[in-house]
Amino acid sequence: MERIKTTNKPATASGSRRRFLGSAAAAGGVATLATLSACGVGRDSKQAAVVAGGDSKDMPNVTLKIQAGFPAKDPLFDIAQDFYRILSELSGGRIKVDLLQSGAVVGAFDQADAVHKGILDGSHAVPAFWYGKDNALSLFGTGPALGQDASTVLAWMEYGGGKELYDEIYRDVLKLDVVGLMYGPMPTQPLGWFRNEVKTAKDFQGIKYRTVGLSIDVFKNMGAAVVALPGGEIVPALERGVIDAAEFNNPASDAALGFPDVAKICMVKSYHQPGEFFEVLVNRRVWEGLPELYRTMFRVTAKAASAQMQWRTLNEYSTVYEELRDKRKIRFVETPREILEAQLKAWDAVVEEKSAGNPFFAKVLASQKAFMKRAVGYQVKFIVDPRQAYEHTFGKVT
């Protein structure tokens, strides 16, 4: 493909890469090398040399064009860049990704098709963006509230059979020529930004509201008039009165997109999207054209970037939240229990309808429920609510 540039010119391994691999070997010794071999790394002497921190003249330089599903001004864009920074360090600079902002080549909601057709080498977004292709896609990150958070859904993906179902929907159901990596758990998302506070479930009747994925059906069930818009189009729509309220993702992204300029009330806590995370889609021909070691680096990067994203977003989102609350006087209102109950009832109706009309949806949901009943049941029983300890130390949460 023209966008993939490969050369056999040697690249100097970065110091950070040597430190990473050296520390890993020191910490894990023989076990670390055995684990890498089991993953397909080190199957020959050339790969072993790279793993050991040395250079191999036969490992190519690769440049990929990947489009993000959000504009460059969104902090999620820079967070996505972390993925490719880690990948570059692991590869000693041999893998380079040009991350393009939303709309640079195709529309945000058209990225999966563009990757399939080879127009893009990859996409960095969320499966809910292609929800219109098959509603079961929304179960991968924007499914019903079962008590889970995004990390729990990723645990299901990794250990509960979710990855196999995810691969199946792209390969056999949608027949898209792509390979997907899921990573980057996102915190529970706010109910959204409102011109006027909603206090009861009835307040959603007729309200013009922006969301994506299965949340569209949830809020329609609650009586809202729902539209799906890419991130860059939401604030202009709010400003013009095309919509009355909208959710996007988090305090930092919402602030960067301009939500506080057009709405002064942010409703927090919601069951509409409790467990979303990132998806990296790569064209299958591109993926299979990469050396096995490079594919392993992508997989390892997904795990490392997940941890990095959790730590980074906790720091950044909490900082922006305080700035919006204290300096810009945004009102952060906890969603009333009545509205949360209405969301759960709406979810019941939505999943019943979608399961009846889509056997694959029902298959994925059954797998999720089986895992969440056990995993979330354990969490609820063992993990203490942080509010009591926080208020004991710092006073009432504001």
Side-chain angles (χ1 to χ4, degrees), residues 189-192 194 204 209 219 247 267 269-270 272 335 343:
Q189 297 179 25
L191 181 64
F194 294 77
F204 273 94
Y209 182 86
F219 285 104
E247 65 82 27
M267 306 283 294
K269 296 187 176 179
S270 179
H272 77 283
T335 302
Q343 284 183 322

Side-chain angles (χ1 to χ4, degrees), residues 133-157:
K133 291 182 174 297
D134 191 295
N135 51 39
L137 265 180
S138 197
L139 293 173
F140 298 95
T142 53
L146 305 171
Q148 81 279 19
D149 61 12
S151 290
T152 314
V153 186
L154 285 172
W156 165 71
M157 291 286 295

